[in-house]
Amino acid sequence: MATLRMDNVAIVVADLDAAIAFFAELGLELEGRMHIEAAVADQCTGLDGVRTEIAMMRTPDGSGRVELTAYASPAPIAGEPLAPNTIGFHRVMFEVEDIDATLDRLGPLGGHLVGQVGDYEDVYRLCYLRGPGGFVIGLAQRV
């Protein structure tokens, strides 16, 4: 049996409205928002009493989606932002037309560079960016 496609990547956020604004400024489109409070949420997460609100954001070309999840219950666990070399989920990479303009637009919405913009073999300009609440995304611009 083959995998059909990747459906979405989920990011747990502290402030759903701020995360929606951040990803909308990046160019993703809001597909919809909904509250999740059902036994299946408890079963899938292994948590008890799950109550969340999610927002589905779609890439402009329709090829990918990001699920933004804000937990009401159980209470979200805040921690120090993870270093890029922490084992586990690392980041989601987005290709953009102009990395500098994108950074300028995302800065006022809580985006800040993890390191600096780097050049990869004169093919891509790349950077990692923390969004509101500390999640990490990557930006890539073809040179």
Side-chain angles (χ1 to χ4, degrees), residues 4-23:
L4 302 177
R5 67 183 170 92
M6 185 186 84
D7 186 72
N8 69 70
V9 172
I11 300 173
V12 176
V13 300
D15 183 334
L16 190 58
D17 292 326
I20 290 169
F22 181 87
F23 282 97

Side-chain angles (χ1 to χ4, degrees), residues 69-133:
T69 304
Y71 276 82
S73 173
I77 300 170
E80 292 298 316
L82 300 176
N85 61 339
T86 302
I87 293 173
F89 181 77
H90 181 56
R91 54 117 178 103
V92 179
M93 180 71 73
F94 296 94
E95 185 174 353
V96 298
E97 290 178 4
D98 183 334
I99 205 166
D100 296 315
T102 302
L103 291 169
D104 289 344
R105 290 192 333 268
L106 295 177
L109 298 173
H112 62 275
L113 285 169
V114 171
Q116 56 187 329
V117 177
D119 292 310
Y120 176 72
E121 297 184 357
D122 295 324
V123 177
Y124 282 102
R125 294 183 70 216
L126 303 166
C127 69
Y128 291 170
L129 182 73
R130 285 203 189 278

Side-chain angles (χ1 to χ4, degrees), residues 51-70:
R51 288 185 305 117
T52 66
E53 184 178 8
I54 67 168
M56 293 302 286
M57 306 289 295
R58 182 181 59 247
T59 58
D61 69 355
S63 66
R65 297 188 307 169
V66 174
E67 176 186 310
L68 303 172
T69 304

